[in-house]
Amino acid sequence: MNTNDHGGAGGSAGTGLDTLDVAAGQDWMTAVAATVSAHKDELTELDAAIGDADHGANLQRGFTAVTAALSGGFEPETVGQLLTKVGMTLISSVGGASGPLFGSAFRAMGKQLATPEADADQLALALRAGLDSVRALGAAAAGDKTMVDALTPAVKAFDDAVAAGLGLVVAARAAADAADEGARATVPMQARKGRASYLGERSIGHQDPGATSTALIFAALAETTARAR
Amino acid sequence: MNTNDHGGAGGSAGTGLDTLDVAAGQDWMTAVAATVSAHKDELTELDAAIGDADHGANLQRGFTAVTAALSGGFEPETVGQLLTKVGMTLISSVGGASGPLFGSAFRAMGKQLATPEADADQLALALRAGLDSVRALGAAAAGDKTMVDALTPAVKAFDDAVAAGLGLVVAARAAADAADEGARATVPMQARKGRASYLGERSIGHQDPGATSTALIFAALAETTARAR
Amino acid sequence: MKKFLNSAESFVADSLAGLAAAHPALRVQAEGPDGPFVARRAATQPGKVALVSGGGYGHEPLHGGFVGVGMLDAACPGEVFTSPVPGQILAAAQAVDGGAGVVFVVKNYTGDVLNFQMAAELAAEDTGVAVETVLVDDDVAVRDSTWTAGRRGTGATVFVEKIAGALAERGESLADVADMGRRVNANSRSFAVALTACTTPANGKPGFLLPEDEMEVGVGIHGEPGRSREKLASAREVAALALDAILAEPLFGAQGERQDGVEVIAMVSGLGATPLSELYILFHEASRLLAERDISIVRSLVGNYVTSLDMAGASFTLCRADDELLELWDAPVNTPALRWGL
Amino acid sequence: MKKFLNSAESFVADSLAGLAAAHPALRVQAEGPDGPFVARRAATQPGKVALVSGGGYGHEPLHGGFVGVGMLDAACPGEVFTSPVPGQILAAAQAVDGGAGVVFVVKNYTGDVLNFQMAAELAAEDTGVAVETVLVDDDVAVRDSTWTAGRRGTGATVFVEKIAGALAERGESLADVADMGRRVNANSRSFAVALTACTTPANGKPGFLLPEDEMEVGVGIHGEPGRSREKLASAREVAALALDAILAEPLFGAQGERQDGVEVIAMVSGLGATPLSELYILFHEASRLLAERDISIVRSLVGNYVTSLDMAGASFTLCRADDELLELWDAPVNTPALRWGL
Ligand SMILES: Nc1ncnc2c1ncn2[C@@H]1O[C@H](COP(=O)(O)OP(=O)(O)O)[C@@H](O)[C@H]1O
Ligand SMILES: Nc1ncnc2c1ncn2[C@@H]1O[C@H](COP(=O)(O)OP(=O)(O)O)[C@@H](O)[C@H]1O
Ligand SMILES: [Mg+2]
Ligand SMILES: [Mg+2]
Ligand SMILES: [Mg+2]
Ligand SMILES: [Mg+2]
């Protein structure tokens, strides 16, 4: 599955966002909810092959809950409050492995962003914190065939782009591409974490569902930031 | 299914048996065991369509037991003893509806044949007694789509041939043909007795397994009597 | 055929050996002139009426799983879907008779009826064992008439065995225990729906083929097709279909009217391959529908009680209850498949 | 998809409603910020340690069917094959805490582990409820290593819940009840074989396709394929395969040697669509194989206890027993799926 089907959006630095404010953060979540719904069956099928066929339903349930939580009169003042709410909502609605993992990633990001408007540097730090929290919680290393294999290169690509002064739009695009590549790179891996690890060698040859949904989340970020407001 | 595939044996009055003695009775049972085994799957499939898919296995188990019972040092002095033994063995090994019904048919025949050698007239009476006992036990009338629909015309054809002085071979052949025709005539009937009755109208269009096996038993009798000793 | 077995021939014997290994309180008389049958290991209390049931194999836990204190004294399994033979039934009856006689609980199938009838005749002729027979015929999917084999016996068998078994345990007479069994049967009705056919070990393939979007309505427990084939429906519709058929019986009061005061014991039994999660969904729908008519479910069973090999499907059984039946229902029972109070 | 359901979305809620309707001694807290969870209707005796378990739905009767006197105090069902969420677990723990603390019985799956861990953290931070966690990881089909997610928790869960539950009922301390749970887990090993895949309501089609003549060996209870795919084998061979894997564990004594004096509680559980008749055949074979090694089965369960929706298959679980464990095993229990002495 090519998770980069984000429909246009070149990402040339000139047209998109320089920062992620609360409204853009909400747009990002709306985009995630949409792409997760659109890819629900594909995520489920990936999970059916090496897991328990619920990843699509899990994330759809989670981001539907997120959409509801963000729309119901909730008016966060900072991006951090927004993302913390996203994390809490995922934790309280998804279940499974991905609920706590994605949930704590968003919570960890939220903690870093006590600002109404996050610039690329702040986002880079936040993404790094998100990755760290997934690794701390799930204890997966790179190459274990989990979401970490999409998250790690995505965060690095974002970092590198920001360090090179390329700005949010390019960084987000680079992260999305790296996440997608990372997800596809899980195909030949033998799983060492999560349910797929039970299959031993039989996990080889399948793309990890959590890495795939991670790439969707980054694709949605790239799409959101690239869009002119 | 054409149950008349008795393999040759013209049945011209000259070549076969005039009477059924104990040895011929044993031959008959051997022939029944063989034809039931050969048609086991067909009987099962007929029973699968409107019953419970066990008629083939039931009769194979029963006539295997009969073969064993007749071979193990059992030396009946009369045809009656032989057929009574057959009936008892069927009752004690078949189960289901067909076990008691076929079993009591043979027992009732046995009661009539206290002779080492039964002629066609005696056999006619015995067959009639067999039919009566099936009807008494199972309470099925002609047209109810049961073994009675093969047994009734078979007994009548046997009777008629004997009354016309045509002898055992011709009578047995006539009975076999009538049984087969009776079995095939069950196809358009709606069952009123046995498991097939549960299907109501859906029992129409299928041949009754018990009528079919009844025809096999008569075919084996025709074959046995037609054979020159 | 996808089954755990060693051979079709040894299916019943191997399975009974497993029952024996798992339940030390039962003894399994092996196949042979006197078997097979399953009986309580402890001898029947002198003076206690014994209950003997049986039927073709493939309906587990019925009947072997209902042998034990408070329920059956013995069960006679036949081959798969084939009734037991008279000798086997007689042997079981003789083995468990405690001098007060034996009640045969017989599901109304020609084979079972004839074989138990012959066993009863043998008992009367050759032994001193007094026998009374209770026929179970609760399946309303079968259109009954005096000209046919009558309704099938299915789920009500569990109720008959439990309640008559409890009465026997109290030391009541042969006639009273049998009458109680008949009363429970008269108070009970069933209806079943199948999503797949079952496969007998001997046949090795499903008895019929059912498309992905169809179900068989009004099936029995021997793999035969039902009264009709219908489009697959929701759990709610399936429950409605079954309960409508059952509640059409005058036993449960005038149709369409609210039935204040009618109490039932309700069972939703899987047919073998339907998981408990789905049975609970059906039970939920059934309980809603009954509540709408003010019929109260006062006791219930949800699980695999009367099955049809590996058929996916479920049966619904209602038994109209009263205080006496409920007291007997609640009496202690200790069998592999039904146990409480002990 | 051939299932009795109203919709994939309402599968769990409808099924829990059925559980509630069928078992008046249980109360089902509906879905919402504090649910769903299943608890005993009666409040926890003050001073009694409470046991809370849970996990994805689809394993019925596990866990809701094991709530009741002598076993669990509450069970938290997640969506099908999806672990429950921390808030739900915390709500259950708070509801059943009797002041003596709560033992979480958690099957070792990343999702369950993380969600129960978060609930335990919340309990420590926000409430006065003391929590101890018992991880169940008995499935020897998973090659364990420090680098992986470890073995799965399957059949041993029933043993842990029963035996630790009995100890809790005696008023023992939180630490002791948790330790007992850990000891039972350490003493238990499982192995399962599937003949078909299962179908989740949300997915609507089988997780994998298995040819008529093949089986999946070493499967878990979430529809994932097993360690290997093999030619369909006889019941005897299947039992041998499973027991060889289990008995290779040093826990059951040196391999290949006769194990005089080793006593086990043995369970053969269906995975959902396998009929009891076949489970007994497997149990028969297992008991023969154990007898050959002089390992005695001193207690047993044969039936559907830990299932995987509508998967055809069976799991084998052995728990090495001693007098203390057996005494606790025999202690009274009254739950929908396990009941004796009450
Ligand atoms: N220990 C872990 N660390 C990081 N990610 C993990 C870990 N375990 C599982 N995952 C991720 O979670 C995904 C599965 O999520 P999901 O299907 O929603 O949960 P579950 O496995 O409980 O059914 C996997 O594809 C993998 O990417
Ligand atoms: N009441 C009856 N009278 C006569 N024959 C009957 C009656 N009921 C059933 N049968 C015969 O028995 C046959 C079925 O035998 P079998 O399959 O061996 O037993 P079961 O129906 O118990 O499985 C039917 O095809 C029918 O011919
Ligand atoms: Mg999953
Ligand atoms: Mg039949
Ligand atoms: Mg039969
Ligand atoms: Mg899951």
Side-chain angles (χ1 to χ4, degrees):
Chain A
M1 177 168 83
N2 181 348
T3 55
N4 251 350
D5 48 356
H6 50 92
S12 98
T15 62
L17 307 177
D18 292 332
T19 60
L20 193 85
D21 61 10
V22 169
Q26 273 161 332
D27 287 349
W28 178 22
M29 289 305 114
T30 306
V32 172
T35 190
V36 158
S37 275
H39 293 91
K40 183 188 166 210
D41 291 347
E42 290 162 76
L43 293 174
T44 293
E45 255 156 59
L46 291 178
D47 200 25
I50 55 172
D52 58 353
D54 63 356
H55 191 57
N58 286 351
L59 289 198
Q60 185 175 53
R61 188 172 58 253
F63 284 98
T64 302
V66 164
T67 305
L70 299 190
S71 65
F74 172 69
E75 289 179 4
E77 283 164 19
T78 66
V79 180
Q81 282 166 11
L82 177 85
L83 296 183
T84 301
K85 180 77 168 181
V86 170
M88 297 300 295
T89 305
L90 291 177
I91 289 172
S92 68
S93 64
V94 173
S98 59
L101 290 167
F102 279 132
S104 54
F106 279 103
R107 278 180 72 188
M109 287 176 68
K111 269 200 195 148
Q112 303 291 321
L113 299 173
T115 165
E117 196 170 343
D119 64 21
D121 286 293
Q122 289 171 308
L123 267 178
L125 284 175
L127 286 169
R128 169 83 41 204
L131 168 61
D132 288 349
S133 102
V134 168
R135 296 195 49 166
L137 196 59
D144 283 357
K145 197 179 184 108
T146 70
M147 58 174 67
V148 168
D149 292 310
L151 204 45
T152 306
V155 170
K156 181 174 187 316
F158 195 98
D159 263 358
D160 289 351
V162 170
L166 295 174
L168 178 55
V169 172
V170 174
R173 176 78 268 144
D177 291 343
D180 185 53
E181 210 174 296
R184 278 187 277 120
T186 61
V187 174
M189 294 176 185
Q190 174 169 342
R192 277 186 298 257
K193 284 284 185 285
R195 292 179 187 290
S197 68
Y198 306 141
L199 299 188
E201 290 179 2
R202 293 178 88 189
S203 64
I204 293 172
H206 300 276
Q207 185 164 321
D208 179 63
T212 307
S213 55
T214 300
L216 291 177
I217 293 169
F218 277 98
L221 179 64
E223 194 189 316
T224 305
T225 55
R227 217 182 288 145
R229 300 295 305 288
Chain B
M1 179 167 83
N2 181 348
T3 54
N4 252 348
D5 48 356
H6 50 93
S12 97
T15 61
L17 307 177
D18 292 330
T19 59
L20 193 85
D21 62 11
V22 169
Q26 273 161 332
D27 288 349
W28 178 23
M29 290 304 112
T30 306
V32 172
T35 190
V36 159
S37 276
H39 292 90
K40 182 188 165 208
D41 291 347
E42 290 162 74
L43 292 174
T44 294
E45 255 157 59
L46 291 177
D47 200 25
I50 53 172
D52 58 353
D54 64 356
H55 192 57
N58 286 350
L59 288 199
Q60 186 174 53
R61 186 172 59 254
F63 283 98
T64 303
V66 164
T67 306
L70 300 189
S71 66
F74 172 69
E75 290 180 2
E77 280 162 24
T78 67
V79 180
Q81 283 167 10
L82 177 85
L83 296 183
T84 301
K85 181 76 170 182
V86 170
M88 297 299 296
T89 305
L90 291 176
I91 289 171
S92 67
S93 65
V94 174
S98 61
L101 291 166
F102 280 133
S104 54
F106 279 104
R107 278 179 74 187
M109 287 176 67
K111 268 198 195 151
Q112 303 292 320
L113 298 173
T115 165
E117 194 171 346
D119 63 21
D121 287 289
Q122 289 172 310
L123 266 177
L125 283 175
L127 285 169
R128 169 85 37 204
L131 168 61
D132 288 348
S133 102
V134 168
R135 295 196 48 166
L137 196 59
D144 283 356
K145 195 177 185 113
T146 70
M147 59 174 68
V148 168
D149 293 309
L151 203 47
T152 306
V155 169
K156 182 174 187 316
F158 195 98
D159 263 358
D160 289 351
V162 170
L166 295 172
L168 178 57
V169 172
V170 174
R173 178 76 268 146
D177 291 344
D180 185 53
E181 207 174 298
R184 278 188 277 120
T186 62
V187 174
M189 294 176 186
Q190 174 169 342
R192 278 186 298 257
K193 283 283 184 286
R195 292 179 187 290
S197 68
Y198 306 141
L199 300 187
E201 290 179 2
R202 291 178 89 189
S203 63
I204 293 171
H206 301 275
Q207 185 164 322
D208 179 63
T212 308
S213 55
T214 300
L216 291 178
I217 293 170
F218 277 98
L221 178 64
E223 194 190 316
T224 305
T225 55
R227 217 182 288 145
R229 300 298 302 289
Chain C
M1 170 175 49
K2 298 206 120 177
K3 287 185 192 295
F4 294 118
L5 47 68
N6 294 312
S7 73
E9 290 67 35
S10 68
F11 188 86
V12 175
D14 290 349
S15 190
L16 288 174
L19 179 78
H23 304 289
L26 302 185
R27 86 182 169 88
V28 174
Q29 173 77 34
E31 213 168 335
D34 295 337
F37 66 80
V38 179
R40 308 186 195 177
R41 192 167 287 286
T44 306
Q45 203 77 20
K48 188 190 99 68
V49 169
L51 272 80
V52 173
S53 190
Y57 210 69
H59 309 303
E60 293 60 44
L62 190 80
H63 295 271
F66 296 125
V67 175
V69 176
M71 219 162 159
L72 295 179
D73 293 271
C76 301
E79 281 300 314
V80 172
F81 292 168
T82 304
S83 83
V85 297
Q88 170 187 0
I89 300 165
L90 183 67
Q94 288 185 283
V96 301
D97 179 36
V102 178
V103 172
F104 286 172
V105 179
V106 182
K107 304 196 293 305
N108 186 37
Y109 300 96
T110 308
D112 295 76
V113 170
L114 295 182
N115 283 283
F116 273 93
Q117 180 180 315
M118 285 189 170
E121 283 163 17
L122 291 172
E125 286 161 19
D126 306 351
T127 74
V129 180
V131 171
E132 283 269 355
T133 295
V134 175
L135 263 196
V136 183
D137 64 341
D138 53 315
D139 187 347
V140 298
V142 175
R143 308 268 192 290
D144 197 11
S145 101
T146 42
W147 305 107
T148 65
R151 290 194 307 238
R152 295 176 287 228
T154 61
T157 318
V158 179
F159 297 163
V160 170
E161 292 176 1
K162 170 67 186 82
I163 293 174
L167 196 70
E169 219 69 51
R170 286 196 190 161
E172 303 294 334
S173 73
L174 180 61
D176 285 351
V177 173
D179 280 347
M180 179 57 74
R182 291 181 194 116
R183 188 170 134 207
V184 173
N185 177 61
N187 276 15
S188 302
R189 295 293 187 278
S190 294
F191 194 92
V193 173
L195 301 184
T196 68
C198 62
T199 300
T200 64
N203 194 19
K205 52 184 185 303
F208 51 85
L209 286 173
L210 207 46
E212 261 297 295
D213 61 340
E214 290 182 7
M215 59 185 184
E216 280 283 339
V217 173
V219 294
I221 52 172
H222 295 87
E224 69 270 41
R227 290 296 303 197
S228 65
R229 188 169 284 197
E230 316 263 343
K231 284 285 158 209
L232 203 62
S234 70
R236 182 160 308 174
E237 289 161 323
V238 167
L241 200 118
L243 288 190
D244 282 350
I246 291 171
L247 297 176
E249 297 279 307
L251 165 67
F252 299 103
Q255 235 183 309
E257 281 176 25
R258 291 179 151 256
Q259 299 303 334
D260 233 347
V262 174
E263 300 194 325
V264 296
I265 308 176
M267 175 168 79
V268 172
S269 174
L271 295 185
T274 288
L276 191 53
S277 48
E278 296 177 37
L279 300 179
Y280 276 128
I281 293 177
L282 291 176
F283 188 77
H284 167 54
E285 297 303 339
S287 64
R288 288 162 53 118
L289 289 164
L290 289 172
E292 278 173 18
R293 303 211 198 187
D294 284 337
I295 295 178
S296 333
I297 301 180
V298 289
R299 299 291 185 280
S300 64
L301 291 178
V302 182
N304 290 325
Y305 292 99
V306 180
T307 63
S308 184
L309 290 173
D310 56 355
M311 179 172 260
S315 66
F316 299 74
T317 305
L318 299 185
C319 172
R320 182 157 182 174
D322 57 34
D323 289 348
E324 191 183 7
L325 295 195
L326 288 179
E327 201 186 312
L328 291 165
W329 179 259
D330 290 340
V333 61
N334 181 356
T335 71
L338 221 59
R339 183 167 180 179
W340 53 74
L342 283 171
Chain D
M1 168 175 50
K2 296 205 120 176
K3 287 186 190 297
F4 294 118
L5 47 68
N6 294 312
S7 73
E9 291 67 37
S10 68
F11 188 85
V12 175
D14 290 349
S15 191
L16 288 174
L19 180 78
H23 303 289
L26 302 185
R27 85 181 169 91
V28 174
Q29 173 78 33
E31 214 168 333
D34 294 337
F37 66 81
V38 179
R40 306 186 195 178
R41 191 166 288 285
T44 306
Q45 203 79 20
K48 188 191 98 68
V49 169
L51 271 80
V52 173
S53 191
Y57 210 69
H59 310 302
E60 294 60 45
L62 192 80
H63 296 271
F66 296 126
V67 175
V69 176
M71 220 162 159
L72 295 179
D73 293 271
C76 301
E79 282 298 314
V80 171
F81 292 169
T82 303
S83 84
V85 297
Q88 172 186 0
I89 301 166
L90 183 67
Q94 290 185 282
V96 301
D97 179 36
V102 178
V103 173
F104 286 173
V105 179
V106 182
K107 303 196 296 303
N108 187 37
Y109 300 95
T110 308
D112 295 77
V113 169
L114 295 181
N115 283 283
F116 273 93
Q117 180 181 313
M118 286 190 168
E121 283 162 18
L122 291 172
E125 285 161 21
D126 305 349
T127 75
V129 180
V131 171
E132 285 269 355
T133 296
V134 175
L135 262 196
V136 183
D137 65 342
D138 53 317
D139 188 346
V140 297
V142 175
R143 308 267 194 289
D144 198 12
S145 100
T146 41
W147 305 106
T148 66
R151 289 193 307 237
R152 293 176 288 228
T154 61
T157 319
V158 180
F159 296 163
V160 170
E161 292 176 1
K162 170 67 187 81
I163 293 174
L167 197 71
E169 219 69 50
R170 285 196 191 161
E172 302 294 334
S173 73
L174 181 60
D176 284 352
V177 173
D179 280 346
M180 179 56 74
R182 291 181 194 116
R183 186 168 137 209
V184 173
N185 178 59
N187 276 15
S188 302
R189 296 292 187 279
S190 294
F191 194 93
V193 174
L195 301 184
T196 68
C198 62
T199 300
T200 64
N203 194 18
K205 52 184 185 301
F208 52 86
L209 286 174
L210 206 46
E212 260 296 296
D213 62 340
E214 290 182 8
M215 59 185 184
E216 281 283 340
V217 173
V219 295
I221 51 170
H222 295 88
E224 69 269 41
R227 289 298 300 198
S228 64
R229 190 169 282 197
E230 317 263 341
K231 283 285 160 210
L232 203 61
S234 70
R236 181 161 309 172
E237 289 161 324
V238 167
L241 200 118
L243 288 190
D244 282 349
I246 290 171
L247 297 176
E249 298 279 308
L251 165 66
F252 299 104
Q255 236 183 309
E257 282 175 25
R258 290 179 152 254
Q259 299 303 334
D260 234 346
V262 174
E263 299 194 326
V264 296
I265 308 176
M267 175 167 79
V268 172
S269 175
L271 295 184
T274 288
L276 190 52
S277 48
E278 296 177 36
L279 300 179
Y280 277 128
I281 292 177
L282 292 176
F283 187 77
H284 167 53
E285 297 303 338
S287 64
R288 287 162 54 117
L289 289 164
L290 290 171
E292 277 172 18
R293 304 213 198 185
D294 284 335
I295 295 178
S296 332
I297 302 179
V298 289
R299 299 292 185 280
S300 64
L301 292 178
V302 181
N304 289 325
Y305 292 100
V306 180
T307 62
S308 184
L309 290 173
D310 56 355
M311 179 172 261
S315 66
F316 299 74
T317 304
L318 299 185
C319 172
R320 182 156 182 175
D322 58 33
D323 289 349
E324 190 182 5
L325 296 195
L326 287 179
E327 201 185 313
L328 291 164
W329 180 259
D330 291 340
V333 60
N334 181 356
T335 72
L338 222 58
R339 183 167 180 180
W340 52 74
L342 285 170

